[in-house]
């Protein structure tokens, strides 16, 4: 707290004192007043003082202000004042207005107060909860305060927000809702808050992305008119960059969410020169950078390539190329567009092919490839340095892992394809022009560009050896390789020489033919040794190193085809002229150079100024690869070399032996396969044959068995009286058939029995009915129908009798059948007997006999069939009988019905009688009463009395009879 | 590529149960035997087909370690589906399910579909948690259940797809508000609103989550 005292002491005591007192008083009021109005006024006063007396208010009031936030949440006004005051204390933004404090001090002040504030983690949580208040006076200052806390002590505040123990909505998710706020100020400040929140914190970046940040930000950018939008667009773009840069997971999400497609409209900028405001340039810059973030060479290769493909598919690359070829685009936008296109096509064949096909618009239309137009800028001194670098980068990216492109570029230099008319300039011509121009930067760029056309491409390295140059009229043409070494030896600017040496190193590495070409010029080796051996100043050390590298390459990739410059001889030369140690030391100068590590980091040639333009990224890779092996090659003695040679030879021999054996094995394999197939087919055949054999054997066995059986039977027949069973054995079918017949007969019998029993039942029933009818006839009311009844019964009886007789006849037939069956059985017996009695006879005879027997059997079978038919006929008759029975049954039922009817009639008439009787009784009573009256009146009536009593007796009798009737029923 | 719906998933569960391997098997169809600790969360995506509709699955694979628990909590709110994974060879991972479930229920939307997964079913010889126990737990808490093997790919596809089917079913029933992206569901760009709203008339209770079992 020393500095606090310093700040306080530094000010005049008078006003300081009174202000401090005022602040103290206000704080007391905030703390102790029970009236909300009072507290609110005090906080408002503190707010007004907080800018000018930041330190004092901060020290004395912070605690009270936090307390207000905790307790007075119901009053948005006081919360708003408190938040504003805290913001004034903590923020450094309004710095300029407070002229007394120096910048550094106030920065310290901000971070100090932030530290105090976040010491209690609950304070941050409290602030997060205040963000949920919709009231503008609360939410807005809360957003600002949180933003400035994050600006002051980002990592700490981020951590607190990340782990804030929010019960339902986690801290980060809560902040995302700010983007959806309809009030533009809050939404815009929300973007700033999220910027501060996501700064270099991968975990938070991912959560923010998960909460649909991409969608919302892209929506805002679209709403605001893409690059024509204001600073909000810029802020959104910065936030997007925060979310995507070096965050593979988010990049993947961005790609998978099809958001790349939504970037395309950003680059639909018209050709009109009017609309290039500073804001638009800034926005476009950020947009281009965002594209580059997705396809950065530092991303995992898979991720970059899938983004590149998506950018081509959705037309983003095409849109960028349009900007590239448009007129009136500001130089820095153009440069960044070139860089962006570079990274979109880098190492992606489809995109590279597309780029090669892009033509510059021209009037009248001419075939001017964009590549050529760009290269023209690269070798043009008047173009800005950064633009030239960007073009070089673009060219490098176009050729990166693009053998087809490399071939096309080299071919424009070859004699056969050079356009003699000179109508249009080719890429090759431009590169050569650059290589030998007077501008050292052009030399360097052209050399590096050409080196990239040869990168990892042995074919093009050999092709380029064919290039011949016509230097001046009259002189014979010089090879490109020769011309390079010529210029090198002329001792030009360092950039020119470094460029050419890098080109030569790339060209000669892994290409013994080029090495031979190089060594063929007798001036080259002495020049190199001279350069290396000389004791030159520091600035020449790099060139010495490169010369050493070139010489080393000439040794390492030397195939000893030139007798004067065999490996051994060159090594001896180094030993004599330079010394091995010295040579290795010089070689080491390259990788020790300060610009070397810079270039090795990124593929993009990005130099702060032209003098830093020394190393190419791909070349640094080559140096890394070769430094070790060359050192080894130089230190190796000749014997070792020879040994190695021998080893190599034996290895080659071994190789040839191995290949020989490999071939042999391959042949044998083929043979084996053939043989295997043969074996399998043979096996198949064998199996088939074997099954045939077993079948035949089985047949033979059967025959033999039959034969044996017949033999045995014959023997038996000859020795004993053939029994029925023997006969049955002769043919398995017959006894079965007979059994079946028997069963059928049995069934028929049982059926008959059942029918008979039914008949008996029916008869008894009829009997019953008859008796009941006769009893019914005895009754007083005899129905005339009863006569018919008895007649019917008689008929039925007759029918029954016929049925019986039919049945009898059937049973007779059945017995006949049985008899027949018996006969059949006997026949079979006789048949069995009739089998000729012979001893052992030949098979033929037996066979004949068998056929004989079989014939007889078939006759028998026919007979059985006939029998069956008869049985069938019988059963049909039986069913007819059954039907008759049924019909008689139904007539019986009808009779019964009629009887029932009659009975009901009887009961009816009886009822009538009863009624009459009742009437009679009533009338009697009346008569009696009348008689009584008459008596009373003194009228003698004797006769009638007697008559009455007699009547009464009659009635009684009748009643008795009716009772009897009822009983009988 | 166009899609009818986009579903957000999260994968949760103790460390080392095979969450990242499940995701890798599902998105890349390969298995990585070396355990590479997930830091925070990792993202993966794949398209699947449900009822003839293309559905894009965006999956966030979370870190199982306790120290990342608070980060994981931030992902529940916006997810439509969760795969809750345990390791059938380590009982303690099964025992911790309750606490994971509590977290999930507390922070997620009530309709989030949770699929319980017993992973490493290829290690039958080292099994420590019976399949029946997993089934019982799922039944008790209304989860879908499956045993999978990220190594052999057994049921991996099914686990992700069945979860999607369940979410799709809930959409059909109108239980999800497909227009609120906070539910972890988004309608594809070519989908018109009328088709997406079509079947949302019936508002039935949907606790009848069928217990699923597969080849493992």
């Amino acid at each position: 707290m020393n500095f606090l005292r310093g700040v306080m002491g530094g000010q005049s005591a008078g006003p300081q004192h009174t202000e401090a007192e005022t602040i103290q008083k206000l704080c007391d009021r905030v703390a102790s007043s029970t009236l909300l109005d009072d507290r609110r006024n005090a906080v408002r006063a503190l707010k007004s003082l907080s800018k000018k007396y930041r330190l004092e208010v901060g020290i004395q009031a912070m605690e009270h202000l936090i307390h207000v936030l905790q307790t007075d949440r119901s009053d948005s006004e006081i919360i708003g004042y408190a938040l504003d005051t805290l913001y004034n204390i903590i923020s450094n933004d309004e710095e300029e207005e407070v002229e007394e404090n120096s910048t550094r001090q106030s920065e310290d002040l901000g971070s100090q107060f932030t530290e105090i504030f976040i010491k209690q983690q609950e304070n941050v949580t409290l602030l997060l909860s205040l963000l949920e208040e919709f009231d503008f006076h609360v939410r807005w200052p809360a957003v600002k305060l949180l933003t400035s806390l994050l600006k002051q002590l980002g990592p700490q505040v981020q951590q607190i927000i990340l782990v804030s123990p929010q019960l339902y909505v986690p801290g980060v998710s809560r902040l995302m809702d700010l983007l959806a706020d309809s009030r533009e100020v809050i939404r815009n400040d929300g973007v700033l808050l999220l910027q501060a929140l996501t700064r270099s914190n991968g975990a938070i970046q991912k959560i923010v992305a998960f909460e649909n940040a991409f969608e919302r930000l892209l929506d805002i950018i679209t709403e605001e008119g893409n690059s024509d939008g204001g600073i909000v667009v810029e802020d959104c773009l910065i936030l997007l960059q925060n979310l995507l840069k070096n965050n593979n997971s988010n990049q993947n999400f961005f790609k998978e969410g099809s958001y790349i497609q939504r970037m395309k409209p950003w680059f639909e900028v018209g050709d009109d020169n009017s609309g290039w405001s500073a804001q638009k340039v800034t926005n476009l810059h950020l947009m281009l950078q965002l594209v580059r973030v997705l396809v950065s060479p530092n991303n995992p290769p898979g991720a970059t390539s899938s983004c590149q493909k998506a950018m081509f598919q959705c037309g983003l690359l095409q849109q960028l190329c349009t900007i590239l070829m448009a007129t009136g685009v500001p130089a820095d936008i153009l440069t960044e567009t070139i860089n962006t296109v570079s990274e979109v096509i880098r190492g992606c064949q489809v995109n590279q092919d597309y780029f090669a096909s892009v033509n510059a618009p021209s009037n009248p239309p001419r075939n001017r490839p964009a590549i050529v137009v760009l290269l023209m800028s690269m070798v043009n001194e008047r173009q800005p340095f950064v633009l030239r670098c960007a073009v070089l980068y673009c060219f490098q990216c176009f050729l990166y892992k693009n053998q087809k492109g490399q071939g096309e570029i080299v071919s424009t230099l070859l004699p056969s394809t050079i356009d003699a008319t000179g109508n249009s300039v080719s890429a090759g011509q431009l590169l050569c022009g650059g290589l030998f121009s007077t501008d050292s930067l052009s030399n360097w760029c052209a050399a590096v560009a050409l080196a990239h056309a040869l990168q990892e491409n042995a074919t093009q390295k050999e092709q380029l050896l064919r290039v011949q140059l016509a230097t001046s009229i009259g002189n014979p043409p010089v090879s490109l390789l020769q011309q390079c070494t010529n210029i090198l030896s002329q001792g030009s600017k360092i950039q020119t020489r470094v460029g050419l040496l890098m080109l030569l190193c790339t060209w000669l590495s892994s290409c013994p033919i080029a090495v031979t070409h190089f060594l063929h010029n007798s001036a080259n080796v002495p020049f190199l040794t001279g350069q290396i051996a000389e004791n030159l100043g520091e600035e020449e050390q790099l060139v010495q190193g490169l010369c050493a590298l070139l010489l080393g390459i000439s040794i390492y990739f030397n195939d000893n085809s030139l007798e004067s410059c065999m490996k051994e001889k060159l090594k001896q030369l180094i030993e004599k002229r330079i010394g091995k140690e010295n040579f290795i030391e010089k070689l080491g100068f390259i990788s020790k150079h300060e610009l070397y590590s810079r270039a090795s980091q990124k593929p993009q040639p990005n130099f702060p100024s032209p003098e830093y333009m020394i190393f190419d990224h791909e070349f640094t890779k080559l140096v890394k690869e070769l430094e070790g092996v060359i050192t080894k090659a130089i230190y190796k003695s000749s014997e070792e070399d020879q040994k190695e040679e021998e080893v190599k030879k034996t290895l080659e021999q071994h190789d040839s032996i191995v290949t020989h054996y490999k071939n042999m094995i391959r042949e044998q394999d083929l043979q084996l396969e053939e043989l295997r197939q043969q074996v399998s087919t043979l096996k198949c055949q064998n199996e088939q044959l074997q099954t045939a054999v077993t079948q035949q054997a089985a047949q033979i066995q059967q025959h033999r068995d039959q034969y044996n059986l017949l033999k045995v039977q014959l023997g038996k027949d000859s020795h004993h009286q053939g029994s029925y069973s023997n006969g049955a054995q002769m043919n398995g079918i017959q006894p079965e058939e007979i059994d079946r017949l028997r069963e059928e007969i049995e069934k028929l019998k049982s059926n008959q029995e059942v029918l008979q029993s039914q008949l008996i039942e029916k008869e008894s029933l009829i009997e019953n009915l008859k008796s009941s009818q006769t009893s019914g006839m005895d009754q007083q009311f005899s129905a005339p129908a009863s006569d018919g009844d008895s007649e019917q019964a008689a008929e039925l009886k007759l029918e029954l009798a016929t049925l019986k007789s039919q049945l009898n006849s059937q049973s007779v037939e059945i017995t006949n059948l049985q008899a027949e069956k018996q006969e059949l059985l006997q026949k079979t017996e006789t048949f069995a007997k009739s089998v000729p009695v012979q001893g052992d006879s030949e098979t033929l005879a037996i066979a004949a006999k068998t056929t004989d027997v079989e014939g007889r059997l078939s006759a028998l079978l026919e007979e059985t069939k006939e029998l069956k038919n008869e049985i069938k006929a019988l059963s049909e008759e039986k069913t007819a009988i059954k039907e008759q029975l049924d019909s008689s049954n139904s007539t019986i039922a009808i009779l019964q019905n009629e009887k029932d009817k009659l009975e009901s009639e009887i009961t009816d008439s009886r009822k009538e009688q009863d009624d009459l009787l009742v009437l009679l009784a009533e009338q009697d009573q009346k008569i009696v009463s009348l008689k009584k009256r008459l008596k009373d009146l003194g009228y003698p009536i004797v006769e009638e009395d007697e008559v009455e009593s007699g009547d009464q007796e009659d009635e009684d009798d009748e009643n008795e009879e009716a009772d009897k009737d009822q009983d009988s029923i | 590529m166009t899609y009818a719906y986009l579903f957000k998933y999260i994968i949760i569960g103790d460390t080392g149960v095979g969450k990242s391997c499940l995701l890798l098997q599902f998105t890349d169809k390969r298995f990585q035997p070396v355990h590479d600790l997930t830091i925070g969360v990792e993202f993966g995506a794949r398209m699947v087909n449900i009822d003839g509709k293309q559905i894009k699955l965006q999956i966030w694979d979370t870190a199982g370690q306790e120290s990342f628990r608070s980060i994981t909590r931030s992902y529940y709110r916006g997810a439509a589906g969760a795969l809750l994974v345990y390791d059938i060879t380590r009982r303690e991972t099964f025992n911790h399910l309750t606490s994971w479930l509590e977290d999930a229920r507390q922070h997620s939307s009530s309709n989030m579909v949770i699929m319980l997964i017993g992973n490493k079913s290829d290690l039958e010889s080292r099994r420590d948690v019976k399949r029946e126990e997993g089934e019982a737990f799922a039944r008790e808490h209304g989860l879908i259940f499956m045993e999978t093997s990220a190594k052999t790919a057994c049921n991996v596809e099914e686990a992700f797809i069945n979860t999607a089917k369940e979410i799709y079913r809930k959409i059909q029933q109108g239980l999800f508000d497909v227009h609120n992206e906070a539910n972890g569901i988004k309608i594809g760009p070519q989908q018109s609103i009328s088709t997406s709203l079509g079947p949302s008339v019936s508002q039935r209770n949907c606790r009848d989550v069928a217990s699923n079992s597969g080849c493992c």
Side-chain angles (χ1 to χ4, degrees), chain B residues 106-166:
Chain B
Q106 194 173 54
H107 293 95
S108 69
S109 94
S110 57
N111 282 317
M112 183 166 83
V113 173
I114 303 175
M115 160 79 81
L116 179 65
I117 288 179
N119 193 30
K120 307 196 186 175
S121 64
D122 53 296
L123 301 176
E124 192 55 50
S125 57
R126 281 161 51 193
R127 184 186 275 276
D128 199 16
V129 182
K130 284 192 213 116
R131 171 202 270 291
E132 290 73 26
E133 295 177 77
E135 281 170 349
F137 186 92
R139 215 176 306 120
E140 196 183 321
H141 295 92
L143 318 174
I144 321 174
F145 176 71
M146 278 192 135
E147 281 196 354
T148 63
S149 166
K151 189 174 181 180
T152 66
C154 173
N155 267 346
V156 172
E157 195 95 337
E158 288 81 354
F160 284 91
I161 287 175
N162 288 354
T163 311
K165 278 184 184 161
E166 181 63 19

Side-chain angles (χ1 to χ4, degrees), chain A residues 205-224:
Chain A
Q205 288 163 4
K206 286 177 191 171
I207 297 172
V208 170
F210 176 80
E211 294 282 347
N212 299 319
F214 292 139
E215 186 94 36
R216 290 191 192 168
L217 292 170
L218 291 169
D219 283 345
I220 294 174
I221 291 172
T222 311
E223 278 166 32
E224 299 287 327

Side-chain angles (χ1 to χ4, degrees), chain A residues 286-539:
Chain A
L286 287 166
M287 287 166 172
L288 290 166
Q289 274 167 18
L290 209 55
V291 174
R292 290 185 67 184
V293 163
L294 294 170
V295 292
S296 161
N298 298 331
N299 290 346
T304 292
S305 75
S306 59
C307 285
Q308 287 172 326
K309 274 178 205 149
M311 286 173 185
F312 175 71
Q313 277 161 6
C314 76
L316 179 66
L317 173 61
Q318 293 84 328
Q319 202 61 49
L320 290 172
C321 287
T322 318
I323 296 181
L324 211 62
M325 292 294 120
T327 51
V329 179
D332 52 344
I333 292 293
L334 186 62
T335 307
E336 191 58 19
T337 309
I338 295 171
N339 283 328
T340 309
V341 168
S342 310
E343 286 177 355
V344 175
I345 64 171
R346 187 174 190 271
C348 177
Q349 189 71 56
V350 184
N351 294 7
Q352 286 167 335
D353 288 349
Y354 168 75
F355 182 69
S357 74
V358 173
N359 276 316
S362 59
N363 201 13
R366 271 196 302 164
N367 185 25
R368 272 213 314 178
I371 296 172
V372 173
V373 177
L374 288 173
L375 284 178
M376 281 160 91
S377 314
M378 187 179 82
V379 294
N380 184 346
E381 299 179 57
R382 286 188 298 273
Q383 290 292 348
F385 175 66
V386 280
L387 180 71
R388 297 172 73 183
C389 288
V391 172
L392 177 62
Y393 186 42
C394 189
F395 194 68
Q396 290 176 352
C397 290
F398 168 62
L399 295 176
Y400 182 72
K401 290 188 176 167
N402 181 7
Q403 298 218 331
K404 195 173 140 203
Q406 288 174 324
E408 276 164 15
I409 295 296
V410 172
S411 72
T412 59
L413 282 162
L414 297 179
S416 55
T417 51
I418 287 177
D419 191 357
T421 57
N423 221 355
S424 61
V425 198
S426 73
Q429 280 170 301
L430 284 168
L431 287 177
C432 278
L435 208 53
F436 307 121
S437 86
T438 51
D439 171 31
S440 61
L441 281 189
S442 292
N443 299 156
W444 191 91
C445 288
V448 169
L450 209 50
H452 277 262
L454 306 176
Q455 210 71 250
E456 285 169 22
N457 192 334
T459 324
Q460 301 315 322
K461 283 175 186 173
E462 288 174 24
Q463 286 288 315
L464 202 64
L465 291 172
R466 290 171 54 207
V467 177
Q468 299 284 325
L469 301 168
T471 45
S472 55
I473 299 159
N475 288 351
V478 189
S479 77
L480 178 64
L481 188 71
Q482 187 55 50
Q483 186 63 15
C484 287
T485 52
N486 287 349
I487 292 170
L488 203 59
S489 59
Q490 282 161 16
S492 37
K493 276 189 188 168
I494 187 159
Q495 264 160 338
T496 310
R497 283 184 290 154
V498 168
L500 286 171
L501 281 166
M502 287 198 293
L503 171 60
L504 288 171
C505 286
T506 310
W507 198 344
L508 265 53
S509 64
S510 316
C511 186
I513 302 172
V515 171
T516 312
H517 271 252
F518 178 74
L519 295 177
H520 200 266
N521 186 338
S522 52
N524 285 342
V525 175
F527 167 71
L528 289 180
T529 47
Q531 285 281 312
I532 301 163
E534 243 176 296
N535 204 358
L536 296 164
E538 247 179 73
E539 63 273 16

